[in-house]
Amino acid sequence: MAPAASTVDVLGDDLLQEVFVLLPGPADLLRAALACRPFLRAARSAAFLRRFRRRHPFTCPLLLGCHLHLPGERRGNSAPHLLPAPPSAATRRVAERGDFALSFIPRRGRPGAAGAGTPWQLLDCRNGRLLLRSRSSQELAVADPLARRWVSLPALPGDHPVGYALVPDDGDYSVFQAACISRVGDTTELRAFLLSSAELRWADVGGLAQQPNLAASRAMQANRSLYWKLVGGQHMLALNTATTELAVLPLPPFLRELSFDVIEKGEDGAGGLHVLTMRGFCIEVWVGEDDGAGGLAWTLVDKSVRFHRAIAEMIGSEHFYHLTLDVIGVAAGVVFLRNGSCLFCIHLETMKMTKLSENESCPSALIYPYTIAWPPAILNPTEEGA
């Protein structure tokens, strides 16, 4: 006769996950998962972990700050570094364990050659990892500054790479994908390539003909899709990493001259494409939904208070109304902005604005919000536990 199932086993993973998703934060989830094997099994579901992360955007994952990757200099060594934001004892203790100057990665090329000041160029930053390219050999690498580990990637099969991205798996921090958009020869055809850290091999997953240039646009990411703004600002290139579908999406006219980031909104990740921008010193969130005619209908769903007074006090300029704030990126419920050489952040839950630094000579394209890898290793899905 089979032994009677325990009360916990009778609850089942689905019911346990409905309880776990209501926990206040990731530390509470970890403590619950360690209570017993059934709890750990329920918490290890990759789908549940993605759902938990979307439901707790202000606490999950832990934000350490901005990673600044200064341009190469022929004289001196302009090493990249982490700019803490917002400062706290917890984030400082974590950051102190890392090597954000990337001194653990071997240099490539001859000393004194062009690009020797900063031998690696930053291409993307996701889930505690950096996607890098050697300035001399064009070799690609993925590095983890906290673990001080790195891996070299094989050469790309495409002719002219024009866009790069990292794709973290929110259900397993030890796994990642790298993506590349490449132009074919002298044509306007674009091809998409994906690489898995499990195989370290590039796969051609699709293409589009007669499309505009990405023009060194940095990648944006939400709901397992990647986005690059195209030249002219009228469209975005979208790559769904789950289905490998490649598409071009129209942008509303007001976004063509503004910087923005795509964000995840809603517990299940459904409900259209959400973008966050700053216009008129207000943070705005817009959603684009299928209009039934192959386009997107855009609706304003959220608008903050105006930050003109806070900006004026922090910048100290009488002409601040003529200044603009570029959205650098959004991570862990914080939006990072730049005005000239000044960096700011706004916590989206409290709408508190903080000036991070000034006189930073790093271009906006080389400033990336940095979060630690999540979930912790104990929650990595297993074949029998997921």
Side-chain angles (χ1 to χ4, degrees):
M1 181 175 180
S6 67
T7 303
V8 172
D9 289 327
V10 170
L11 291 175
D13 289 353
D14 292 343
L15 186 56
L16 286 173
Q17 289 167 5
E18 291 302 315
V19 175
F20 290 166
V21 80
L22 300 177
L23 292 172
D28 303 285
L29 175 63
L30 183 58
R31 283 192 289 268
L34 294 176
C36 61
R37 288 184 178 274
F39 282 18
L40 180 60
R41 183 184 65 244
R44 277 181 164 177
S45 163
F48 166 74
L49 289 171
R50 284 191 291 270
R51 180 186 174 197
F52 185 88
R53 186 171 185 166
R54 284 193 295 266
R55 190 178 176 91
H56 298 81
F58 305 118
T59 58
C60 180
L62 180 63
L63 175 69
L64 295 191
C66 278
H67 194 267
L68 279 64
H69 215 155
L70 303 177
E73 298 177 356
R74 293 297 297 269
R75 298 179 181 178
N77 183 11
S78 53
H81 65 281
L82 182 76
L83 180 68
S88 71
T91 56
R92 281 197 300 270
R93 285 194 296 268
V94 175
E96 287 171 356
R97 302 200 306 261
D99 179 1
F100 293 93
L102 308 181
S103 60
F104 59 93
I105 307 180
R107 290 180 176 272
R108 299 292 194 245
R110 303 182 307 276
T118 304
W120 295 93
Q121 177 186 357
L122 180 60
L123 301 174
D124 199 11
C125 175
R126 304 283 172 183
N127 208 31
R129 292 186 178 90
L130 308 175
L131 178 60
L132 307 163
R133 179 175 59 189
S134 169
R135 293 183 181 274
S136 56
S137 68
Q138 303 303 302
E139 173 188 4
L140 294 177
V142 174
D144 182 340
L146 288 177
R148 303 180 185 233
R149 292 196 298 262
W150 73 287
V151 59
S152 177
L153 304 185
L156 281 162
D159 294 331
H160 303 292
V162 291
Y164 301 88
L166 275 177
V167 190
D169 186 334
D170 291 342
D172 185 348
Y173 88 111
S174 65
V175 175
F176 69 86
Q177 284 183 310
C180 177
I181 303 298
S182 184
R183 187 168 301 285
V184 179
D186 296 327
T187 71
T188 58
E189 181 183 0
L190 296 179
R191 304 297 301 179
F193 298 89
L194 285 176
L195 173 145
S196 169
S197 59
E199 299 179 354
L200 289 181
R201 178 177 57 84
W202 292 101
D204 188 336
V205 297
L208 287 172
Q210 302 297 323
Q211 298 301 336
N213 295 324
L214 273 68
S217 170
R218 65 191 294 168
M220 299 173 283
Q221 186 170 165
N223 300 323
R224 307 185 76 182
S225 290
L226 297 167
Y227 303 90
W228 291 268
K229 193 174 182 179
L230 298 176
V231 167
Q234 299 181 10
H235 299 86
M236 282 195 306
L237 181 69
L239 172 62
N240 186 317
T241 61
T243 64
T244 67
E245 179 183 2
L246 199 63
V248 173
L249 306 177
L251 288 172
F254 68 87
L255 276 183
R256 294 174 185 175
E257 302 299 328
L258 297 175
S259 59
F260 61 89
D261 198 5
V262 298
I263 60 173
E264 294 186 348
K265 200 171 180 66
E267 185 175 321
D268 59 0
L273 172 64
H274 289 80
V275 301
L276 181 148
T277 189
M278 175 165 271
R279 187 168 61 158
F281 299 105
C282 296
I283 292 176
E284 296 181 350
V285 176
W286 291 76
V287 60
E289 299 178 291
D290 189 355
D291 62 2
L296 294 175
W298 292 90
T299 306
L300 179 66
V301 295
D302 198 5
K303 186 173 183 177
S304 74
V305 298
R306 285 169 59 87
F307 287 92
H308 62 284
R309 290 184 179 177
I311 297 170
E313 292 175 359
M314 293 178 183
I315 296 179
S317 171
E318 298 179 356
H319 307 288
F320 70 93
Y321 278 106
H322 302 288
L323 302 177
T324 59
L325 283 172
D326 295 327
V327 175
I328 293 173
V330 182
V334 178
V335 56
F336 293 87
L337 307 115
R338 179 190 182 115
N339 170 256
S341 60
C342 295
L343 297 179
F344 305 87
C345 72
I346 298 175
H347 195 286
L348 295 176
E349 184 177 33
T350 63
M351 285 299 164
K352 180 181 178 181
M353 187 175 195
T354 305
K355 186 177 181 181
L356 303 179
S357 70
E358 55 187 342
N359 299 324
E360 293 289 351
S361 59
C362 181
S364 294
L366 298 179
I367 303 174
Y368 285 84
Y370 185 91
T371 59
I372 65 171
W374 194 87
I378 188 65
L379 291 181
N380 274 357
T382 62
E383 290 184 2
E384 61 182 54

PDB file of all heavy atoms in Angstrom, residues 259-292:
ATOM      1  N   SER A 259      14.946  59.296 -26.768  1.00  0.00           N
ATOM      2  CA  SER A 259      15.530  58.035 -26.301  1.00  0.00           C
ATOM      3  C   SER A 259      14.516  57.342 -25.401  1.00  0.00           C
ATOM      4  O   SER A 259      13.719  57.999 -24.723  1.00  0.00           O
ATOM      5  CB  SER A 259      16.827  58.307 -25.535  1.00  0.00           C
ATOM      6  OG  SER A 259      16.585  59.150 -24.427  1.00  0.00           O
ATOM      7  N   PHE A 260      14.540  56.031 -25.397  1.00  0.00           N
ATOM      8  CA  PHE A 260      13.561  55.279 -24.606  1.00  0.00           C
ATOM      9  C   PHE A 260      14.107  53.895 -24.329  1.00  0.00           C
ATOM     10  O   PHE A 260      15.144  53.481 -24.877  1.00  0.00           O
ATOM     11  CB  PHE A 260      12.211  55.195 -25.333  1.00  0.00           C
ATOM     12  CG  PHE A 260      12.267  54.486 -26.665  1.00  0.00           C
ATOM     13  CD1 PHE A 260      12.086  53.111 -26.750  1.00  0.00           C
ATOM     14  CD2 PHE A 260      12.509  55.192 -27.834  1.00  0.00           C
ATOM     15  CE1 PHE A 260      12.145  52.456 -27.968  1.00  0.00           C
ATOM     16  CE2 PHE A 260      12.564  54.555 -29.062  1.00  0.00           C
ATOM     17  CZ  PHE A 260      12.381  53.178 -29.128  1.00  0.00           C
ATOM     18  N   ASP A 261      13.398  53.155 -23.499  1.00  0.00           N
ATOM     19  CA  ASP A 261      13.730  51.751 -23.261  1.00  0.00           C
ATOM     20  C   ASP A 261      12.425  50.971 -23.217  1.00  0.00           C
ATOM     21  O   ASP A 261      11.380  51.505 -22.809  1.00  0.00           O
ATOM     22  CB  ASP A 261      14.480  51.585 -21.927  1.00  0.00           C
ATOM     23  CG  ASP A 261      15.220  50.246 -21.837  1.00  0.00           C
ATOM     24  OD1 ASP A 261      15.221  49.502 -22.845  1.00  0.00           O
ATOM     25  OD2 ASP A 261      15.789  49.940 -20.781  1.00  0.00           O
ATOM     26  N   VAL A 262      12.459  49.732 -23.669  1.00  0.00           N
ATOM     27  CA  VAL A 262      11.292  48.864 -23.538  1.00  0.00           C
ATOM     28  C   VAL A 262      11.315  48.256 -22.145  1.00  0.00           C
ATOM     29  O   VAL A 262      12.382  48.015 -21.575  1.00  0.00           O
ATOM     30  CB  VAL A 262      11.264  47.770 -24.620  1.00  0.00           C
ATOM     31  CG1 VAL A 262      11.183  48.385 -26.004  1.00  0.00           C
ATOM     32  CG2 VAL A 262      12.486  46.865 -24.510  1.00  0.00           C
ATOM     33  N   ILE A 263      10.147  48.029 -21.581  1.00  0.00           N
ATOM     34  CA  ILE A 263      10.061  47.509 -20.216  1.00  0.00           C
ATOM     35  C   ILE A 263       9.039  46.393 -20.158  1.00  0.00           C
ATOM     36  O   ILE A 263       8.147  46.295 -21.013  1.00  0.00           O
ATOM     37  CB  ILE A 263       9.695  48.616 -19.201  1.00  0.00           C
ATOM     38  CG1 ILE A 263       8.333  49.235 -19.547  1.00  0.00           C
ATOM     39  CG2 ILE A 263      10.773  49.692 -19.158  1.00  0.00           C
ATOM     40  CD1 ILE A 263       7.829  50.216 -18.501  1.00  0.00           C
ATOM     41  N   GLU A 264       9.166  45.556 -19.128  1.00  0.00           N
ATOM     42  CA  GLU A 264       8.180  44.518 -18.870  1.00  0.00           C
ATOM     43  C   GLU A 264       7.138  45.085 -17.916  1.00  0.00           C
ATOM     44  O   GLU A 264       7.471  45.661 -16.881  1.00  0.00           O
ATOM     45  CB  GLU A 264       8.847  43.282 -18.271  1.00  0.00           C
ATOM     46  CG  GLU A 264       9.790  42.596 -19.236  1.00  0.00           C
ATOM     47  CD  GLU A 264      10.342  41.289 -18.683  1.00  0.00           C
ATOM     48  OE1 GLU A 264      10.164  41.057 -17.482  1.00  0.00           O
ATOM     49  OE2 GLU A 264      10.953  40.528 -19.452  1.00  0.00           O
ATOM     50  N   LYS A 265       5.884  44.923 -18.256  1.00  0.00           N
ATOM     51  CA  LYS A 265       4.799  45.448 -17.431  1.00  0.00           C
ATOM     52  C   LYS A 265       3.676  44.427 -17.414  1.00  0.00           C
ATOM     53  O   LYS A 265       3.285  43.915 -18.450  1.00  0.00           O
ATOM     54  CB  LYS A 265       4.301  46.781 -17.983  1.00  0.00           C
ATOM     55  CG  LYS A 265       3.539  47.630 -16.979  1.00  0.00           C
ATOM     56  CD  LYS A 265       3.279  49.017 -17.553  1.00  0.00           C
ATOM     57  CE  LYS A 265       2.510  49.895 -16.587  1.00  0.00           C
ATOM     58  NZ  LYS A 265       3.284  50.214 -15.374  1.00  0.00           N
ATOM     59  N   GLY A 266       3.167  44.144 -16.232  1.00  0.00           N
ATOM     60  CA  GLY A 266       2.134  43.127 -16.109  1.00  0.00           C
ATOM     61  C   GLY A 266       2.717  41.815 -15.642  1.00  0.00           C
ATOM     62  O   GLY A 266       3.836  41.448 -15.986  1.00  0.00           O
ATOM     63  N   GLU A 267       1.946  41.092 -14.859  1.00  0.00           N
ATOM     64  CA  GLU A 267       2.459  39.877 -14.226  1.00  0.00           C
ATOM     65  C   GLU A 267       2.787  38.791 -15.216  1.00  0.00           C
ATOM     66  O   GLU A 267       3.739  38.046 -15.056  1.00  0.00           O
ATOM     67  CB  GLU A 267       1.429  39.363 -13.212  1.00  0.00           C
ATOM     68  CG  GLU A 267       1.912  38.175 -12.405  1.00  0.00           C
ATOM     69  CD  GLU A 267       0.916  37.785 -11.337  1.00  0.00           C
ATOM     70  OE1 GLU A 267       0.320  38.688 -10.732  1.00  0.00           O
ATOM     71  OE2 GLU A 267       0.741  36.582 -11.111  1.00  0.00           O
ATOM     72  N   ASP A 268       2.028  38.662 -16.284  1.00  0.00           N
ATOM     73  CA  ASP A 268       2.256  37.572 -17.225  1.00  0.00           C
ATOM     74  C   ASP A 268       3.016  38.006 -18.465  1.00  0.00           C
ATOM     75  O   ASP A 268       3.239  37.216 -19.366  1.00  0.00           O
ATOM     76  CB  ASP A 268       0.921  36.933 -17.640  1.00  0.00           C
ATOM     77  CG  ASP A 268      -0.030  37.935 -18.286  1.00  0.00           C
ATOM     78  OD1 ASP A 268       0.347  39.119 -18.417  1.00  0.00           O
ATOM     79  OD2 ASP A 268      -1.146  37.535 -18.645  1.00  0.00           O
ATOM     80  N   GLY A 269       3.431  39.266 -18.512  1.00  0.00           N
ATOM     81  CA  GLY A 269       4.204  39.748 -19.646  1.00  0.00           C
ATOM     82  C   GLY A 269       3.386  39.999 -20.897  1.00  0.00           C
ATOM     83  O   GLY A 269       3.931  40.350 -21.937  1.00  0.00           O
ATOM     84  N   ALA A 270       2.053  39.830 -20.813  1.00  0.00           N
ATOM     85  CA  ALA A 270       1.195  40.046 -21.967  1.00  0.00           C
ATOM     86  C   ALA A 270       0.697  41.491 -21.975  1.00  0.00           C
ATOM     87  O   ALA A 270       0.943  42.261 -21.065  1.00  0.00           O
ATOM     88  CB  ALA A 270       0.025  39.062 -21.937  1.00  0.00           C
ATOM     89  N   GLY A 271      -0.052  41.825 -23.007  1.00  0.00           N
ATOM     90  CA  GLY A 271      -0.687  43.131 -23.034  1.00  0.00           C
ATOM     91  C   GLY A 271       0.019  44.167 -23.870  1.00  0.00           C
ATOM     92  O   GLY A 271      -0.144  45.365 -23.642  1.00  0.00           O
ATOM     93  N   GLY A 272       0.814  43.768 -24.845  1.00  0.00           N
ATOM     94  CA  GLY A 272       1.433  44.715 -25.742  1.00  0.00           C
ATOM     95  C   GLY A 272       2.862  45.075 -25.384  1.00  0.00           C
ATOM     96  O   GLY A 272       3.422  44.607 -24.394  1.00  0.00           O
ATOM     97  N   LEU A 273       3.432  45.942 -26.211  1.00  0.00           N
ATOM     98  CA  LEU A 273       4.815  46.384 -26.059  1.00  0.00           C
ATOM     99  C   LEU A 273       4.839  47.701 -25.283  1.00  0.00           C
ATOM    100  O   LEU A 273       4.268  48.704 -25.730  1.00  0.00           O
ATOM    101  CB  LEU A 273       5.441  46.570 -27.442  1.00  0.00           C
ATOM    102  CG  LEU A 273       6.826  47.197 -27.503  1.00  0.00           C
ATOM    103  CD1 LEU A 273       7.855  46.309 -26.809  1.00  0.00           C
ATOM    104  CD2 LEU A 273       7.230  47.465 -28.943  1.00  0.00           C
ATOM    105  N   HIS A 274       5.517  47.721 -24.140  1.00  0.00           N
ATOM    106  CA  HIS A 274       5.586  48.912 -23.304  1.00  0.00           C
ATOM    107  C   HIS A 274       6.937  49.598 -23.471  1.00  0.00           C
ATOM    108  O   HIS A 274       7.986  48.933 -23.443  1.00  0.00           O
ATOM    109  CB  HIS A 274       5.376  48.559 -21.831  1.00  0.00           C
ATOM    110  CG  HIS A 274       3.975  48.161 -21.493  1.00  0.00           C
ATOM    111  ND1 HIS A 274       3.490  46.891 -21.740  1.00  0.00           N
ATOM    112  CD2 HIS A 274       2.948  48.869 -20.947  1.00  0.00           C
ATOM    113  CE1 HIS A 274       2.220  46.825 -21.346  1.00  0.00           C
ATOM    114  NE2 HIS A 274       1.872  48.005 -20.861  1.00  0.00           N
ATOM    115  N   VAL A 275       6.908  50.910 -23.644  1.00  0.00           N
ATOM    116  CA  VAL A 275       8.135  51.690 -23.738  1.00  0.00           C
ATOM    117  C   VAL A 275       8.081  52.824 -22.724  1.00  0.00           C
ATOM    118  O   VAL A 275       7.011  53.361 -22.429  1.00  0.00           O
ATOM    119  CB  VAL A 275       8.359  52.261 -25.162  1.00  0.00           C
ATOM    120  CG1 VAL A 275       8.430  51.153 -26.180  1.00  0.00           C
ATOM    121  CG2 VAL A 275       7.271  53.258 -25.539  1.00  0.00           C
ATOM    122  N   LEU A 276       9.249  53.163 -22.185  1.00  0.00           N
ATOM    123  CA  LEU A 276       9.363  54.254 -21.208  1.00  0.00           C
ATOM    124  C   LEU A 276      10.267  55.329 -21.779  1.00  0.00           C
ATOM    125  O   LEU A 276      11.357  55.034 -22.280  1.00  0.00           O
ATOM    126  CB  LEU A 276       9.918  53.731 -19.889  1.00  0.00           C
ATOM    127  CG  LEU A 276      10.086  54.735 -18.744  1.00  0.00           C
ATOM    128  CD1 LEU A 276       9.874  54.054 -17.389  1.00  0.00           C
ATOM    129  CD2 LEU A 276      11.457  55.416 -18.771  1.00  0.00           C
ATOM    130  N   THR A 277       9.828  56.560 -21.712  1.00  0.00           N
ATOM    131  CA  THR A 277      10.610  57.686 -22.197  1.00  0.00           C
ATOM    132  C   THR A 277      10.413  58.866 -21.261  1.00  0.00           C
ATOM    133  O   THR A 277       9.590  58.817 -20.337  1.00  0.00           O
ATOM    134  CB  THR A 277      10.200  58.061 -23.637  1.00  0.00           C
ATOM    135  OG1 THR A 277      11.109  59.019 -24.164  1.00  0.00           O
ATOM    136  CG2 THR A 277       8.790  58.629 -23.681  1.00  0.00           C
ATOM    137  N   MET A 278      11.170  59.957 -21.471  1.00  0.00           N
ATOM    138  CA  MET A 278      10.960  61.202 -20.732  1.00  0.00           C
ATOM    139  C   MET A 278      10.666  62.301 -21.738  1.00  0.00           C
ATOM    140  O   MET A 278      11.429  62.533 -22.672  1.00  0.00           O
ATOM    141  CB  MET A 278      12.168  61.563 -19.872  1.00  0.00           C
ATOM    142  CG  MET A 278      12.005  62.920 -19.182  1.00  0.00           C
ATOM    143  SD  MET A 278      13.186  63.236 -17.837  1.00  0.00           S
ATOM    144  CE  MET A 278      12.306  62.556 -16.433  1.00  0.00           C
ATOM    145  N   ARG A 279       9.527  62.978 -21.507  1.00  0.00           N
ATOM    146  CA  ARG A 279       9.096  64.052 -22.396  1.00  0.00           C
ATOM    147  C   ARG A 279       8.520  65.179 -21.549  1.00  0.00           C
ATOM    148  O   ARG A 279       7.672  64.941 -20.686  1.00  0.00           O
ATOM    149  CB  ARG A 279       8.053  63.535 -23.383  1.00  0.00           C
ATOM    150  CG  ARG A 279       7.668  64.540 -24.440  1.00  0.00           C
ATOM    151  CD  ARG A 279       6.865  63.918 -25.548  1.00  0.00           C
ATOM    152  NE  ARG A 279       5.606  63.343 -25.100  1.00  0.00           N
ATOM    153  CZ  ARG A 279       4.565  63.129 -25.902  1.00  0.00           C
ATOM    154  NH1 ARG A 279       4.651  63.427 -27.184  1.00  0.00           N
ATOM    155  NH2 ARG A 279       3.452  62.604 -25.433  1.00  0.00           N
ATOM    156  N   GLY A 280       9.011  66.402 -21.763  1.00  0.00           N
ATOM    157  CA  GLY A 280       8.542  67.521 -20.968  1.00  0.00           C
ATOM    158  C   GLY A 280       8.851  67.364 -19.496  1.00  0.00           C
ATOM    159  O   GLY A 280       8.043  67.768 -18.655  1.00  0.00           O
ATOM    160  N   PHE A 281      10.004  66.753 -19.186  1.00  0.00           N
ATOM    161  CA  PHE A 281      10.450  66.510 -17.810  1.00  0.00           C
ATOM    162  C   PHE A 281       9.525  65.554 -17.064  1.00  0.00           C
ATOM    163  O   PHE A 281       9.535  65.495 -15.839  1.00  0.00           O
ATOM    164  CB  PHE A 281      10.580  67.827 -17.027  1.00  0.00           C
ATOM    165  CG  PHE A 281      11.567  68.768 -17.607  1.00  0.00           C
ATOM    166  CD1 PHE A 281      11.153  69.882 -18.315  1.00  0.00           C
ATOM    167  CD2 PHE A 281      12.926  68.547 -17.468  1.00  0.00           C
ATOM    168  CE1 PHE A 281      12.071  70.760 -18.871  1.00  0.00           C
ATOM    169  CE2 PHE A 281      13.852  69.423 -18.020  1.00  0.00           C
ATOM    170  CZ  PHE A 281      13.423  70.526 -18.723  1.00  0.00           C
ATOM    171  N   CYS A 282       8.706  64.790 -17.790  1.00  0.00           N
ATOM    172  CA  CYS A 282       7.837  63.769 -17.192  1.00  0.00           C
ATOM    173  C   CYS A 282       8.195  62.403 -17.758  1.00  0.00           C
ATOM    174  O   CYS A 282       8.478  62.271 -18.951  1.00  0.00           O
ATOM    175  CB  CYS A 282       6.360  64.053 -17.490  1.00  0.00           C
ATOM    176  SG  CYS A 282       5.723  65.572 -16.775  1.00  0.00           S
ATOM    177  N   ILE A 283       8.183  61.394 -16.906  1.00  0.00           N
ATOM    178  CA  ILE A 283       8.348  60.018 -17.372  1.00  0.00           C
ATOM    179  C   ILE A 283       7.011  59.531 -17.896  1.00  0.00           C
ATOM    180  O   ILE A 283       5.984  59.643 -17.228  1.00  0.00           O
ATOM    181  CB  ILE A 283       8.842  59.111 -16.235  1.00  0.00           C
ATOM    182  CG1 ILE A 283      10.267  59.481 -15.829  1.00  0.00           C
ATOM    183  CG2 ILE A 283       8.777  57.643 -16.645  1.00  0.00           C
ATOM    184  CD1 ILE A 283      10.789  58.686 -14.658  1.00  0.00           C
ATOM    185  N   GLU A 284       7.018  59.012 -19.107  1.00  0.00           N
ATOM    186  CA  GLU A 284       5.808  58.489 -19.725  1.00  0.00           C
ATOM    187  C   GLU A 284       6.002  57.023 -20.107  1.00  0.00           C
ATOM    188  O   GLU A 284       7.072  56.637 -20.580  1.00  0.00           O
ATOM    189  CB  GLU A 284       5.440  59.293 -20.971  1.00  0.00           C
ATOM    190  CG  GLU A 284       5.089  60.747 -20.694  1.00  0.00           C
ATOM    191  CD  GLU A 284       4.696  61.515 -21.942  1.00  0.00           C
ATOM    192  OE1 GLU A 284       4.879  60.966 -23.062  1.00  0.00           O
ATOM    193  OE2 GLU A 284       4.207  62.640 -21.806  1.00  0.00           O
ATOM    194  N   VAL A 285       4.959  56.236 -19.903  1.00  0.00           N
ATOM    195  CA  VAL A 285       4.939  54.837 -20.335  1.00  0.00           C
ATOM    196  C   VAL A 285       3.811  54.679 -21.350  1.00  0.00           C
ATOM    197  O   VAL A 285       2.660  55.032 -21.073  1.00  0.00           O
ATOM    198  CB  VAL A 285       4.732  53.880 -19.152  1.00  0.00           C
ATOM    199  CG1 VAL A 285       4.629  52.434 -19.657  1.00  0.00           C
ATOM    200  CG2 VAL A 285       5.874  54.011 -18.145  1.00  0.00           C
ATOM    201  N   TRP A 286       4.180  54.179 -22.529  1.00  0.00           N
ATOM    202  CA  TRP A 286       3.224  53.959 -23.605  1.00  0.00           C
ATOM    203  C   TRP A 286       3.149  52.478 -23.925  1.00  0.00           C
ATOM    204  O   TRP A 286       4.131  51.755 -23.774  1.00  0.00           O
ATOM    205  CB  TRP A 286       3.646  54.730 -24.855  1.00  0.00           C
ATOM    206  CG  TRP A 286       3.536  56.223 -24.727  1.00  0.00           C
ATOM    207  CD1 TRP A 286       4.380  57.051 -24.047  1.00  0.00           C
ATOM    208  CD2 TRP A 286       2.535  57.041 -25.288  1.00  0.00           C
ATOM    209  NE1 TRP A 286       3.970  58.347 -24.153  1.00  0.00           N
ATOM    210  CE2 TRP A 286       2.826  58.379 -24.923  1.00  0.00           C
ATOM    211  CE3 TRP A 286       1.405  56.809 -26.093  1.00  0.00           C
ATOM    212  CZ2 TRP A 286       2.034  59.460 -25.307  1.00  0.00           C
ATOM    213  CZ3 TRP A 286       0.620  57.892 -26.489  1.00  0.00           C
ATOM    214  CH2 TRP A 286       0.937  59.194 -26.094  1.00  0.00           C
ATOM    215  N   VAL A 287       1.994  52.034 -24.374  1.00  0.00           N
ATOM    216  CA  VAL A 287       1.837  50.646 -24.793  1.00  0.00           C
ATOM    217  C   VAL A 287       1.397  50.623 -26.251  1.00  0.00           C
ATOM    218  O   VAL A 287       0.530  51.391 -26.670  1.00  0.00           O
ATOM    219  CB  VAL A 287       0.809  49.895 -23.901  1.00  0.00           C
ATOM    220  CG1 VAL A 287      -0.571  50.539 -23.964  1.00  0.00           C
ATOM    221  CG2 VAL A 287       0.747  48.415 -24.301  1.00  0.00           C
ATOM    222  N   GLY A 288       2.057  49.766 -27.029  1.00  0.00           N
ATOM    223  CA  GLY A 288       1.682  49.553 -28.424  1.00  0.00           C
ATOM    224  C   GLY A 288       1.011  48.206 -28.573  1.00  0.00           C
ATOM    225  O   GLY A 288       1.589  47.173 -28.234  1.00  0.00           O
ATOM    226  N   GLU A 289      -0.223  48.208 -29.067  1.00  0.00           N
ATOM    227  CA  GLU A 289      -0.995  46.975 -29.236  1.00  0.00           C
ATOM    228  C   GLU A 289      -1.398  46.813 -30.695  1.00  0.00           C
ATOM    229  O   GLU A 289      -1.577  47.806 -31.428  1.00  0.00           O
ATOM    230  CB  GLU A 289      -2.228  46.997 -28.334  1.00  0.00           C
ATOM    231  CG  GLU A 289      -1.887  47.079 -26.848  1.00  0.00           C
ATOM    232  CD  GLU A 289      -3.106  47.158 -25.959  1.00  0.00           C
ATOM    233  OE1 GLU A 289      -3.789  48.202 -26.005  1.00  0.00           O
ATOM    234  OE2 GLU A 289      -3.379  46.193 -25.230  1.00  0.00           O
ATOM    235  N   ASP A 290      -1.543  45.577 -31.111  1.00  0.00           N
ATOM    236  CA  ASP A 290      -1.877  45.261 -32.499  1.00  0.00           C
ATOM    237  C   ASP A 290      -3.150  45.986 -32.927  1.00  0.00           C
ATOM    238  O   ASP A 290      -4.198  45.880 -32.272  1.00  0.00           O
ATOM    239  CB  ASP A 290      -2.065  43.742 -32.627  1.00  0.00           C
ATOM    240  CG  ASP A 290      -2.202  43.298 -34.077  1.00  0.00           C
ATOM    241  OD1 ASP A 290      -2.243  44.175 -34.969  1.00  0.00           O
ATOM    242  OD2 ASP A 290      -2.263  42.082 -34.299  1.00  0.00           O
ATOM    243  N   ASP A 291      -3.045  46.735 -34.022  1.00  0.00           N
ATOM    244  CA  ASP A 291      -4.210  47.484 -34.489  1.00  0.00           C
ATOM    245  C   ASP A 291      -5.029  46.723 -35.521  1.00  0.00           C
ATOM    246  O   ASP A 291      -6.001  47.260 -36.079  1.00  0.00           O
ATOM    247  CB  ASP A 291      -3.779  48.841 -35.067  1.00  0.00           C
ATOM    248  CG  ASP A 291      -2.870  48.694 -36.290  1.00  0.00           C
ATOM    249  OD1 ASP A 291      -2.611  47.552 -36.718  1.00  0.00           O
ATOM    250  OD2 ASP A 291      -2.405  49.726 -36.803  1.00  0.00           O
ATOM    251  N   GLY A 292      -4.630  45.470 -35.798  1.00  0.00           N
ATOM    252  CA  GLY A 292      -5.382  44.654 -36.743  1.00  0.00           C
ATOM    253  C   GLY A 292      -5.034  44.896 -38.190  1.00  0.00           C
ATOM    254  O   GLY A 292      -5.552  44.227 -39.080  1.00  0.00           O
TER     255      GLY A 292
END
